[in-house]
Amino acid sequence: MKRWIAGILIAVMCLGTGCGNKTEQEPPTEVVKTAEEMKQEAIQEKMDAMSLEEEIGQLFMVDFRNNEDGSGMTVLSQTAAEKVKKYHVGGVILFAENLDTLEQTQKLTKDLQNVAEIPLFIGIDEEGGRVSRLNKSNIPHETIPAAGEMTEPAQAEAAGKSIGGTLSEMGVNVDFAPVGDVNTNPDNPVIGTRAYSNEPNKAGDMVCAFLKGLQGTGVSGAVKHFPGHGDTAADSHKGEVFVSHDLERLKEVEFVPFAKAIASGVDFVMVGHIKTPNATSDNLPATLSAQAVGFLRQDLGYHGIVITDAMNMQAISDYYGVGESAVMAVSAGIDIVLMPADLDEAYEALLHGVQDGRIQEAQVKESLKRILSLKYDKGLL
């Protein structure tokens, strides 16, 4: 009897203390999200909350060079502030007319960001050499020689780092540089010493060095002008421009610096208003050509942001309507339309283009995702 009672007592004690073969329950494992998962969730949450009108606005980067009286807009005007809000624009490009002192520019970029619902890309053309907005301002900066005057990648990297440091301090986060064109035509009226070299691999190495210096400061680079403006005999600011080479030649020469820039992680590629009749069959400038943009996406494997050259240039404005050219560009796969001649007209055309089915909303969302992804990476979201 005593042994029987003792057995019962031991069994009861085991039930209370978990002895025997029973294992203790593990606490629930906490699900830890990766940085990429957190990023994608944040982007999707932002996109889910956006209207079509807000989505369309992110596809524009606009300029506010002058006030209504013709003076340079160095202080955010009411008109500019209202347009940023009304059209939900994704970016603003600054020019020499917008720059005076460092403190003035810092206030202008801060005020622009403050009126935007989604933080802006704020860009500028700062290549060094003759294409420098800083040289016309009172902002302290290092004078950078033209790309064609540099001979070593270390010089290009130092130039990129110097420019990026100044722009970052100003509140600018995108530089429309470096020039990736190969300067193969000595009679070219617009590129010349803006290009690093007439040899594609050397030009590509210099482009990558500049980008390393620039993007290391947190300022995005935009290599330009794809598919290559180096062998043109005309200026796309003033009219139509042609490159007569076939696709094989373009891949061997003109595409090389762009391919290297893409491999090095460039944030933007700017497409030029360049017709390539022996490489494409649509008789359109690259900015409006799905075939030309396809070279970037499929042939060169670029997944970042594709932006047009300024859409108020005569290669576009003399031949295509303001609204129609914006619709054609986005339909071709462009992510950001830069400087439409009339923002009101271009915006309405894109909005109606989606509503009537000329532009697939899925394509808009794809561009929007690229834009928001980079803004997230830059700490803007």
Side-chain angles (χ1 to χ4, degrees):
M1 176 64 72
K2 289 181 180 179
R3 289 181 180 175
W4 180 74
I5 294 171
I8 293 174
L9 289 172
I10 291 170
V12 171
M13 290 172 64
C14 284
L15 285 172
T17 59
C19 60
N21 293 328
K22 185 177 179 181
T23 57
E24 291 187 15
Q25 238 182 352
E26 294 292 329
T29 303
E30 183 180 353
V31 177
V32 179
K33 294 177 182 177
T34 66
E36 181 61 24
E37 287 172 333
M38 292 173 65
K39 171 184 172 179
Q40 295 305 324
E41 282 189 11
I43 292 169
Q44 192 59 53
E45 183 179 347
K46 177 64 73 175
M47 290 177 65
D48 289 345
M50 294 174 69
S51 65
L52 176 60
E53 289 77 8
E54 290 170 325
E55 292 175 354
I56 294 295
Q58 287 296 299
L59 274 55
F60 284 102
M61 194 166 191
V62 300
D63 64 309
F64 301 111
R65 295 172 79 156
N66 296 300
N67 295 310
E68 292 179 5
D69 63 1
S71 61
M73 194 198 77
T74 54
V75 176
L76 182 62
S77 68
Q78 184 176 348
T79 299
E82 288 173 353
K83 287 201 171 187
V84 170
K85 290 179 181 179
K86 179 180 179 180
Y87 295 113
H88 320 284
V89 298
V92 173
I93 179 172
L94 302 182
F95 284 85
E97 293 90 334
N98 303 121
L99 310 181
D100 184 11
T101 66
L102 176 60
E103 294 75 15
Q104 164 270 322
T105 307
Q106 287 173 331
K107 185 175 189 312
L108 176 60
T109 55
K110 183 178 179 181
D111 289 347
L112 280 165
Q113 294 289 18
N114 285 341
V115 297
E117 296 170 10
I118 294 176
L120 301 163
F121 288 134
I122 298 182
I124 199 167
D125 288 296
E126 193 60 35
E127 302 170 13
R130 73 176 187 264
V131 180
S132 171
R133 313 308 182 202
L134 293 175
N135 286 351
K136 299 174 183 177
S137 75
N138 295 306
I139 298 171
H141 66 284
E142 180 184 359
T143 300
I144 303 297
E149 296 172 4
M150 301 183 196
T151 57
E152 299 297 328
Q155 293 173 285
E157 182 178 346
K161 184 176 181 180
S162 176
I163 290 171
T166 302
L167 298 185
S168 180
E169 192 176 6
M170 292 160 53
V172 172
N173 51 39
V174 179
D175 185 15
F176 292 110
V179 170
D181 304 319
V182 183
N183 188 32
T184 54
N185 186 345
D187 297 323
N188 191 312
V190 68
I191 301 300
T193 58
R194 294 172 64 192
Y196 284 102
S197 177
N198 60 5
E199 198 284 313
N201 281 301
K202 181 178 179 181
D205 291 343
M206 297 291 277
V207 160
C208 290
F210 181 93
L211 286 168
K212 181 180 179 182
L214 179 74
Q215 294 196 163
T217 68
V219 175
S220 292
V223 64
K224 60 188 183 184
H225 311 78
F226 186 83
H229 212 316
D231 197 11
T232 59
D235 181 350
S236 51
H237 290 86
K238 300 177 181 179
E240 284 190 306
V241 170
F242 297 87
V243 170
S244 61
H245 304 303
D246 62 17
L247 183 56
E248 183 178 355
R249 149 67 193 233
L250 292 176
K251 288 181 177 180
E252 290 176 353
V253 179
E254 278 74 14
F255 286 5
V256 171
F258 295 95
K260 290 195 171 193
I262 288 165
S264 73
V266 67
D267 286 336
F268 290 78
V269 173
M270 177 183 281
V271 176
H273 308 311
I274 302 158
K275 289 188 173 183
T276 53
N278 294 314
T280 54
S281 59
D282 52 21
N283 194 37
L284 293 171
T287 30
L288 311 182
S289 169
Q291 293 177 34
V293 177
F295 296 151
L296 266 180
R297 296 296 191 204
Q298 281 81 54
D299 294 66
L300 300 186
Y302 181 58
H303 303 295
I305 296 173
V306 178
I307 187 169
T308 69
D309 204 344
M311 295 291 277
N312 60 3
M313 291 161 61
Q314 286 178 248
I316 298 296
S317 62
D318 284 359
Y319 302 93
Y320 310 93
V322 173
E324 180 64 14
S325 61
V327 171
M328 291 174 72
V330 173
S331 297
I334 293 288
D335 298 310
I336 297 180
V337 177
L338 177 66
M339 292 172 59
D342 186 309
L343 175 59
D344 302 12
E345 185 177 342
Y347 178 91
E348 290 299 325
L350 277 196
L351 185 59
H352 294 148
V354 175
Q355 292 169 338
D356 64 21
R358 285 193 65 194
I359 301 170
Q360 298 299 311
E361 190 168 359
Q363 187 172 351
V364 172
K365 289 186 181 296
E366 190 175 331
S367 292
L368 178 63
K369 192 168 186 177
R370 291 191 188 103
I371 292 164
L372 295 182
S373 180
L374 183 57
K375 288 186 175 185
Y376 183 97
D377 291 342
K378 299 180 76 64
L380 295 173
L381 290 187

